[in-house]
Amino acid sequence: MEGSVMETKKVNVKRKLNVLTVKKKFEILEAVDKGGKKGQIAKDFKIPASTLSTIIKDREKIKKLFELKKGSMKEIRIAGYPDLEECLIKWFKQCRDCNLPIGGNELKEKVEQFAKKLGHRDFKSSNGWLENFKNRHNIVFRKLCDES
């Protein structure tokens, strides 16, 4: 085999996608706050260093979501009109506390009213907006007790 050159092949190994919950990201931030080395923290949580940097960069969003008890969320969803959604979710919770049945059409009508009052002229409540709103706030429409 004299004179032959050995070839080496580069093998592309895809790493497994690891989606972290808000709670797990919060735990990572706590480890960073305790003064651990970033390289070691990334190793301990089995994440790339770039992911750790992104988590540190998004520190405020993660802490806010964790405090709002959204720790099980895997994706950080941000609304286009946070003030509008805050009004609507408060109204929705008040209706649910009174056992009033609320459907998608009622939500869409109410958000249009709030949009006018808050001066959002370009807001349009579509079915897509409604689905995304329900996903962001973990809302499921089911029959309430005493509702036939």
Side-chain angles (χ1 to χ4, degrees):
M1 289 214 185
E2 280 186 0
S4 66
V5 179
M6 290 185 75
E7 290 183 32
T8 58
K9 277 190 172 181
K10 202 175 194 180
V11 179
N12 288 335
V13 178
K14 284 191 173 187
R15 66 179 178 88
K16 186 180 175 223
L17 184 62
N18 184 14
V19 181
L20 301 171
T21 63
V22 173
K23 182 179 180 183
K24 188 60 115 178
K25 290 177 184 178
F26 188 77
E27 290 172 10
I28 292 169
L29 287 174
E30 284 180 328
V32 170
D33 291 343
K34 287 180 183 173
K37 294 191 178 205
K38 292 180 184 175
Q40 187 59 44
I41 293 170
K43 239 185 231 181
D44 292 344
F45 286 95
K46 297 176 183 151
I47 58 172
S50 60
T51 302
L52 178 61
S53 297
T54 304
I55 291 170
I56 294 170
K57 184 184 81 176
D58 293 337
R59 170 186 299 269
E60 295 305 315
K61 282 189 239 174
I62 293 167
K63 283 187 175 184
K64 187 176 180 183
L65 284 170
F66 186 76
E67 288 166 3
L68 292 171
K69 297 189 177 31
K70 305 260 185 201
S72 63
M73 286 177 52
K74 290 192 175 182
E75 188 177 332
I76 299 176
R77 301 178 189 110
I78 299 173
Y81 300 92
D83 56 342
L84 191 58
E85 291 213 3
E86 187 178 328
C87 291
L88 187 64
I89 200 70
K90 282 182 183 177
W91 175 81
F92 179 77
K93 286 179 180 179
Q94 288 172 351
C95 291
R96 280 287 167 99
D97 289 343
C98 296
N99 286 334
L100 295 174
I102 302 293
N105 290 332
E106 289 88 357
L107 275 178
K108 286 168 46 175
E109 287 174 21
K110 196 64 177 180
V111 78
E112 290 284 345
Q113 292 172 10
F114 284 138
K116 282 183 184 176
K117 288 181 182 176
L118 294 172
H120 297 299
R121 305 269 178 247
D122 54 340
F123 178 79
K124 182 72 180 143
S125 63
S126 62
N127 289 334
W129 171 86
L130 179 63
E131 285 303 311
N132 291 331
F133 175 78
K134 287 168 35 181
N135 289 336
R136 278 191 295 273
H137 298 284
N138 297 323
I139 295 174
V140 180
F141 294 133
R142 293 192 179 126
K143 282 188 176 181
L144 299 174
C145 296
D146 300 333
E147 184 183 359
S148 57

